[in-house]
Amino acid sequence: DVTAWSKDNLTICGVGGRASLYADGKSSQGKAIWVIGGANTVIDSIAFHNTKVADANGAGIRMEHKTGDLRVINSGFYDNENGILTTGGPITLTVERSEFARNTDNKAAGQAHNIYAGAIDKLTVTASYFHEARYGSNVKSRAKESILENNYIMDGTTGEGSYLTDFSNGGK
């Protein structure tokens, strides 16, 4: 289930419901279930579960391409150290109709999040559900522009997250 995708212009989708990927102690490059190195990638109907790595910064998806877009649709991120973690640069991350639950680890002391968008051009999140971040934020963005529309973002009964949303670098 763990791999690195380096080709540009890929569409990867589950058929007949969400395909579930479980890390089971493995990771690609010591970083994530999937490391995305190719630009303009679409991921649709995939669920990412239980990523843990040595530096406590493992992700369901680690976005590492230098230009272009990543679009995540109808996907789920559960019990990883980070749901989605990006690099910085002239890239965009778009998330639609997805769920992020219990990503972050108490060992990370607030440095892992349900989504962590680094210093990218744009983060857009619509119609998604965020809950039960532990110690980190549900959505942390250092993007130049962050758009969150029609999402449900909550702590849950434990309320352990640091922030529901955190726009550390400001931006638009």
Side-chain angles (χ1 to χ4, degrees):
D1 290 339
V2 301
T3 193
W5 300 93
S6 60
K7 299 292 183 191
D8 294 342
N9 304 310
L10 290 177
T11 297
I12 307 162
C13 61
V15 176
R18 286 186 184 162
S20 290
L21 305 177
Y22 291 87
D24 292 331
K26 295 176 258 165
S27 66
S28 179
Q29 303 173 6
K31 298 177 181 180
I33 292 178
W34 284 0
V35 176
I36 307 295
N40 306 318
T41 301
V42 176
I43 297 170
D44 186 355
S45 301
I46 308 289
F48 300 84
H49 298 267
N50 304 317
T51 308
K52 309 279 188 250
V53 299
D55 68 1
N57 207 23
I61 293 176
R62 180 80 171 255
M63 182 176 160
E64 292 201 332
H65 58 279
K66 302 300 181 202
T67 61
D69 307 316
L70 172 62
R71 184 172 173 214
V72 177
I73 308 163
N74 192 37
S75 292
F77 299 83
Y78 309 101
D79 304 301
N80 303 288
E81 290 167 330
N82 287 281
I84 298 175
L85 176 61
T86 79
T87 188
I91 54 179
T92 63
L93 170 60
T94 302
V95 177
E96 305 169 37
R97 301 179 316 277
S98 294
E99 181 179 9
F100 295 79
R102 300 172 307 279
N103 298 291
T104 73
D105 182 30
N106 60 6
K107 297 177 200 165
Q111 297 181 28
H113 312 279
N114 273 334
I115 286 183
Y116 184 176
I120 62 176
D121 282 349
K122 187 175 184 180
L123 167 68
T124 303
V125 182
T126 56
S128 293
Y129 179 33
F130 294 83
H131 55 101
E132 302 171 276
R134 289 174 268 166
Y135 298 92
S137 300
N138 276 291
V139 178
K140 181 170 182 156
S141 177
R142 295 182 183 276
K144 292 177 185 174
E145 181 177 7
S146 299
I147 300 170
L148 280 67
E149 296 180 320
N150 302 312
N151 298 293
Y152 188 53
I153 304 171
M154 61 175 281
D155 265 342
T157 57
T158 58
E160 295 176 337
S162 57
Y163 296 100
L164 292 177
T165 58
D166 179 1
F167 304 97
S168 302
N169 292 12
K172 180 178 175 186

